[in-house]
Amino acid sequence: MTINRRNALRLTSLAAAGAGITGGLTGAARAAGSGAKGSGAKGSGAKGSGPEGSGTEGSRAEGSGTEGGRPAARQLVLTGKRTAADIPDVLVPGTSYFVHYELRDADGNPVGTESAQCTPVTVGPDGAFVLASLVLLLADGMITASTVFQRPLPALTEVLVAPRRWSHLFAVTGGTAAYDAAIGSVTIEHLSREDDVLTVDLD
């Protein structure tokens, strides 16, 4: 084809039109990349810094919820009646004994059991130094705890008339169901040979 003035003007017009179309598409793509999806409501709005990202809903679950699966702080006060035990008259280092209690709540309703396995480490004229593990089996789950404590001799605590009152403290080591990941303490006060009161404080 012969390039004359008319053909040159036509080619120039076509090139300009093509450049306009290409520029329009590029602009549209740029707008799409930096608009609603890139930096608009979805990118840095509701999801990035709004309710879902760092707003009310996000901090409520982490800050004031169960926090790592732990239950909320609470206290349980239970009374126990001993139903089984093999406490020897003379404690011997390394020789374990166990106790078992039926537990009731403040209204006198049965709520579970208390079981402990105890092992004297040293025994002296004033009592024994004892390692112990405790399991509270309750209607809504189980609580486990452990301790070391100074125990009066059985001659002072196992008599039927005027037994010596004493108490000891357990550290909660965990639990199941409603007490999953529980931490806290269990204070047991022995009122008599067969009766005790448990105060369970969960953090």
Side-chain angles (χ1 to χ4, degrees), residues 3-197:
I3 303 299
N4 52 31
R5 182 178 177 81
R6 180 177 298 175
N7 289 334
L9 290 174
R10 183 179 300 170
L11 290 175
T12 301
S13 299
L14 290 174
I21 293 172
T22 303
L25 292 175
T26 303
R30 186 178 298 113
S34 61
K37 182 176 181 180
S39 61
K42 185 175 181 180
S44 61
K47 185 173 183 180
S49 60
E52 183 178 351
S54 61
T56 306
E57 182 178 353
S59 61
R60 184 185 300 115
E62 184 175 324
S64 61
T66 56
E67 192 174 347
R70 291 194 290 108
R74 53 180 163 163
Q75 184 180 82
L76 304 173
V77 179
L78 307 172
T79 58
K81 176 68 72 174
R82 186 194 294 180
T83 57
D86 68 344
I87 303 172
D89 293 332
V90 177
L91 298 179
V92 177
T95 301
S96 298
Y97 63 90
F98 78 92
V99 292
H100 180 80
Y101 291 77
E102 299 293 329
L103 297 176
R104 295 181 180 272
D105 61 17
D107 297 323
N109 300 313
V111 294
T113 61
E114 164 200 351
S115 300
Q117 184 78 20
C118 307
T119 304
V121 177
T122 60
V123 179
D126 297 327
F129 188 68
V130 179
L131 300 175
S133 59
L134 174 73
V135 176
L136 304 181
L137 186 58
L138 307 176
D140 54 351
M142 181 174 62
I143 297 173
T144 59
S146 63
T147 191
V148 292
F149 64 95
Q150 189 73 22
R151 189 199 193 285
L153 295 176
L156 299 175
T157 63
E158 297 302 302
V159 293
L160 292 176
V161 180
R164 176 177 169 180
R165 291 190 177 191
W166 61 286
S167 64
H168 51 122
L169 180 68
F170 285 81
V172 173
T173 56
T176 64
Y179 308 101
D180 183 33
I183 59 174
S185 63
V186 180
T187 302
I188 300 180
E189 183 179 5
H190 296 273
L191 306 180
S192 68
R193 177 184 178 182
E194 297 180 349
D195 300 290
D196 68 1
V197 176

